[in-house]
Amino acid sequence: MNAGSTTGSAGGEQTLPPIDPDSLRDSFRGRLITDPADIEAFATDWRRRYFGRAIAVAQPDTVEDVAAVVRWCARNRVAVVPQGGNTGLSGGATPDASGRSVVLSLARLTRVRALDTINNSITVDAGVTLAQVHEAAHTAGRLYPLSLPSEGTCTIGGNLSTNAGGAAVLRYGNARELCLGLEVVTAEGENWNGLRGLRKDNTGYDLRDLFIGAEGTLGVITAATLKLYPLPAAQITAMAAVRDPHAALRLLELAQSMLGSTLTAFELISNLCIDLVLHHFPDQRHPFAQAAPYYVLLETSDSESEAHAGAQFEALMEQALDQEIVLDAVVATSGTQSRSLWALRELVSEAQALAGKNVKHDISVPISSIGTFVEQTNEAMQRAFPGIRMVVFGHLGDGNLHYNVSPPVDRSGPEHEDEFLALQPAMNRLVHDAVIAFHGSISAEHGLGQLRRDENARYKSDVEMALMRRIKQALDPLGIMNPGKYLPPQ
Ligand code: FAD
């Protein structure tokens, strides 16, 4: 590992200085992992689609130590691959295969720095998990509303770097909208403290918004100040069975008119998703006696009481049944029932991963177009790839669907995986062309990473790509921050 290189991943094609990992060990306080067997888990993504190599995994103890690692990488022209919980679904936290990267894990930056119930804000280190933020907020009688199935493992740094979405975007917005301020170690190893807990601040270009959603390609987020909300008095969950996404949209319109802003989640789940969950998690139960093509999971957050929320839901479902929008409905009457309904939604990604390799699309279109988009694109997909199974679920209330594809039943299993994955580019083309025709986005909440880097460049205008490249060049002049992700190499 001591030799120089001419084709390193950082800084493009040039003669690179030799690397001495021992000098990295001496340059910061924290943990340094250099055994390849221990590095492997950090160099493989959650879906096991990307397998990279790294010189080491650095887990600094403090922000100053994060900066020291970045400076070491800059001096040695070594790529920095920031990593939080490694739950990202686009390969953004996985180093490339060059072996000239350091995975910079924020796992040891885990302090809750401050919580202010008047300013309604919390300041945490980047390595704090989403579930820990929920817990800290809850203890103080507050809500941090970002809600992802990966909450026990994913970190605030990762949430902000991917601008994560999840189930509560409908009411509270995505990670960007929940962030007031950031602390960042720049690509040159300097520390920028922008931890302002302000709702209003017009004092220059919004650097915070540049780093949010940048997937570690511009700098390392080391801490964040996040918005908190009052805890709702009651949260009630219901599930409705519907014929198709058109009916789900009619239910959304009715729910918004009857429940207003108390409607906090509106998730679509196809019956195939429920089947997958029930197959791989046999403890789960189907909530309806009779299966329907699609289901909607709804949640209200009420500021009055559980009884008030329950009555509102009952009234909504009565009207929806009368108008023949829904085929059947259940309203959870206990926390346990509510958690079981949510589990059916939250286990879909894991169930699909357990079922074998699949092709994922994380798309958004204007909410009103979703019914027609699904109908037309499903038909086109079946014509082009007969027998494939569409695993359609997601955050219908904000226009984001996980429009995933599993192989035909008689072509599933490890022996058919290569054959199925060879169809991925053609499937992407068909789905993404349809998304663009519907004025949508090919990357709604999971980020670009390695998975959608080239697809994104294909659909963006030259002007937009050039502006993004200029931002990258300005903030990361050596090109060491997570190279090979987000923007294709030039
Ligand atoms: P990582 O995977 O470690 O990293 C993700 C990206 O951020 C990488 O590019 C990495 O380099 C960068 N990064 C990480 N930390 C930092 C930092 N401190 N500074 C700079 N860059 C950094 N996502 C959703 O949006 N909505 C969902 O509903 C959702 N559901 C999921 C369900 C499951 C079962 C799983 C496994 C994932 C799901 N995800 C979802 C995706 C994932 O959990 C989120 O993208 C999450 O925000 C990633 O956080 P992380 O800490 O694991 O980041």
Side-chain angles (χ1 to χ4, degrees):
M1 198 72 80
N2 247 349
S5 160
T6 51
T7 53
S9 60
E13 194 86 9
Q14 54 188 280
T15 304
L16 298 168
I19 307 164
D20 172 12
D22 282 338
S23 63
L24 172 56
R25 193 182 302 278
D26 298 337
S27 68
F28 76 105
R29 282 162 306 155
R31 187 164 170 234
L32 187 74
I33 302 169
T34 50
D35 183 335
D38 296 332
I39 290 176
E40 198 184 315
F42 296 87
T44 308
D45 73 311
W46 187 85
R47 294 176 69 204
R48 302 194 62 76
R49 293 291 289 273
Y50 298 100
F51 301 90
R53 286 172 55 227
I55 300 163
V57 177
Q59 295 186 323
D61 280 346
T62 66
V63 177
E64 291 68 37
D65 294 305
V66 172
V69 173
V70 173
R71 284 196 298 272
W72 182 92
C73 290
R75 264 196 316 277
N76 290 282
R77 299 294 191 273
V78 163
V80 180
V81 182
Q83 191 174 98
N86 199 16
T87 66
L89 298 174
S90 305
T94 311
D96 65 19
S98 69
R100 215 181 151 96
S101 307
V102 165
V103 173
L104 177 46
S105 158
L106 283 296
R108 286 159 79 102
L109 263 64
T110 55
R111 271 183 317 146
V112 173
R113 296 193 193 175
L115 194 152
D116 182 338
T117 52
I118 297 176
N119 196 48
N120 274 317
S121 59
I122 184 169
T123 299
V124 295
D125 282 353
V128 173
T129 66
L130 177 56
Q132 286 165 340
V133 176
H134 288 162
E135 205 181 303
H138 197 272
T139 307
R142 294 293 181 273
L143 172 80
Y144 178 62
L146 191 73
S147 166
L148 313 179
S150 50
E151 64 179 32
T153 313
C154 68
T155 62
I156 290 305
N159 296 160
L160 289 165
S161 298
T162 56
N163 187 21
V169 172
L170 169 68
R171 165 72 177 83
Y172 298 101
N174 49 26
R176 183 188 301 281
E177 284 155 286
L178 295 170
C179 180
L180 294 170
L182 285 186
E183 180 188 74
V184 171
V185 166
T186 70
E188 285 155 304
E190 290 173 322
N191 187 354
W192 170 56
N193 187 333
L195 289 173
R196 301 171 190 128
L198 304 175
R199 265 81 180 170
K200 289 187 171 179
D201 177 19
N202 286 341
T203 52
Y205 296 121
D206 200 327
L207 299 179
R208 174 194 62 187
D209 272 355
L210 278 180
F211 291 106
I212 295 175
E215 297 181 42
T217 61
L218 300 179
V220 185
I221 296 175
T222 49
T225 300
L226 309 169
K227 273 186 207 168
L228 298 178
Y229 289 82
L231 262 185
Q235 279 182 306
I236 300 266
T237 310
M239 193 177 260
V242 293
R243 255 175 228 101
D244 54 27
H246 291 292
L249 288 177
R250 286 180 62 207
L251 180 62
L252 175 64
E253 199 178 11
L254 186 66
Q256 281 179 322
S257 70
M258 289 181 70
L259 305 175
S261 63
T262 64
L263 183 68
T264 39
F266 195 93
E267 302 279 307
L268 184 75
I269 317 167
S270 74
N271 189 47
L272 183 54
C273 300
I274 303 279
D275 284 348
L276 276 174
V277 171
L278 297 181
H279 181 75
H280 291 283
F281 298 93
D283 289 351
Q284 302 299 323
R285 288 281 158 267
H286 203 301
F288 297 102
Q290 202 163 353
Y294 283 91
Y295 305 92
V296 175
L297 182 73
L298 305 92
E299 186 179 81
T300 56
S301 299
D302 198 281
S303 55
E304 287 187 33
S305 66
E306 208 159 282
H308 180 257
Q312 285 214 315
F313 248 155
E314 294 290 349
L316 168 69
M317 291 307 175
E318 237 168 70
Q319 277 223 27
L321 280 162
D322 281 355
Q323 295 179 27
E324 297 182 2
I325 295 172
V326 308
L327 305 168
D328 202 353
V330 288
V331 178
T333 51
S334 67
T336 313
Q337 247 182 39
S338 169
R339 278 189 294 280
S340 315
L341 292 178
W342 269 107
L344 291 172
R345 163 65 186 85
E346 294 191 331
L347 289 170
V348 177
S349 292
E350 280 179 62
Q352 207 188 6
L354 290 169
K357 297 279 187 251
N358 57 76
V359 173
K360 279 195 192 299
H361 301 107
D362 169 38
I363 60 108
S364 65
V365 292
I367 302 165
S368 47
S369 308
I370 282 190
T372 314
F373 168 83
V374 171
E375 190 176 73
Q376 292 183 1
T377 316
N378 276 1
E379 276 172 27
M381 288 292 278
Q382 280 306 330
R383 272 197 306 276
F385 313 100
I388 51 157
R389 290 169 297 157
M390 301 307 303
V391 181
V392 179
F393 64 102
H395 316 296
L396 188 73
D398 61 54
N400 171 204
L401 282 188
H402 303 308
Y403 192 74
N404 297 348
V405 192
S406 281
V409 178
D410 59 356
R411 313 288 300 165
S412 45
E415 69 279 19
H416 296 293
E417 269 172 5
D418 289 347
E419 175 198 343
F420 177 66
L421 291 180
L423 299 174
Q424 179 164 323
M427 289 183 183
N428 286 347
R429 186 65 47 250
L430 195 157
V431 172
H432 290 159
D433 281 357
V435 167
I436 299 302
F438 276 86
H439 308 290
S441 163
I442 66 150
S443 178
E445 61 172 12
H446 292 166
L448 300 171
Q450 307 185 46
L451 181 65
R452 296 191 188 87
R453 181 193 75 179
D454 297 343
E455 280 294 283
N456 188 50
R458 182 187 167 90
Y459 291 105
K460 290 274 181 198
S461 71
D462 291 347
V463 175
E464 208 168 341
M465 289 305 293
L467 288 172
M468 287 202 283
R469 284 192 191 287
R470 272 185 246 162
I471 291 169
K472 169 79 175 167
Q473 174 63 32
L475 270 69
D476 177 23
L478 295 176
I480 60 165
M481 290 307 308
N482 216 358
K485 323 288 169 57
Y486 214 74
L487 291 170
Q490 273 184 311

